[in-house]
Amino acid sequence: MAKEKQTEADVNNTAQAEGKEASVEQKLVALYALQCIDSRIDKIRIVRGELPLEVQDLEDETTGLETRKEKYDQEVSELEAAISEKKNAVKESQALIKRYEEQQMNVRNNREYDSLSKEIEFQSLEIQLCEKRTKEFSFKLEAIKNQIKDSEGILKERIADLNQKKEELNDIIEETKREEETLQVESDEKRKDIDERLLVAYTRIRANSKNGLAVVPVERGACGGCFSKIPPQVALDIAMHKKIIVCEFCGRILVDSEINERI
């Protein structure tokens, strides 16, 4: 907190370091005018809210679903190939059994008959194993196809959501783009009228404030940034416009109602 908060001495040293071409009052007016412009830009960006993040999240989710579907499609192809391979193996075993049975009709002794019988038994077992694997692959294939169907439904919904969010975001951007660009030009112009080191101080305070407020008016005897009470003597010093005063609690630059009304 000590590193982030701009001390009153630092701000005043900054304000005085560039010479006396502008009074403290003029510098306060310029700073507060810049703050008002920058705050309007902030509000425009806040209007967009979480839409950019929502769009990014939906894009990431959509990409993930598409990648998952590609993997499912690859598994389907592999399973279909495996099923086809097992069915061909069954046909080959059936053809061998038929051939062995024909050979049994012409054997010369029991030894040859028994040998062929073992081959027939082996091929029958191969057929049973292939049919078992085919059922397993078919069951898995059906499950993956159901997953693909579910994923396609979710993907379709996410794409619809994504397109809707993109349209909303584009509409908001289009509506506020011209105003934001105009205000940004005004902000850039205002910055040219402010001492460089004072501007650096303003930028630093603003960056350390969650709401982007670096210059705030005193409201009902309290800091307009952190709402801490301002001592009467400090309030009097603020009204004198003789030096730049910062809140001892949050480090924001303080201005009185007179400067606030001049903007």
Side-chain angles (χ1 to χ4, degrees), residues 11 29 64 88-89 99 102 104 125 222 227 231 254:
V11 175
V29 170
N88 289 334
R99 190 175 74 184
E102 291 174 352
Q104 278 183 327
L125 291 174
F227 309 109
L254 299 170

Side-chain angles (χ1 to χ4, degrees), residues 199-243:
L199 184 60
V200 169
Y202 165 83
T203 303
R204 182 168 61 251
I205 298 171
R206 181 168 151 77
N208 291 329
S209 302
K210 292 182 179 180
N211 54 11
L213 294 177
V215 185
V216 295
V218 175
E219 299 175 348
R220 298 181 180 178
C223 170
C226 66
F227 309 109
S228 299
K229 283 294 181 180
I230 304 295
Q233 183 57 49
V234 175
L236 182 61
D237 290 339
I238 294 171
M240 294 292 291
H241 306 155
K242 296 299 182 182
K243 58 181 178 177

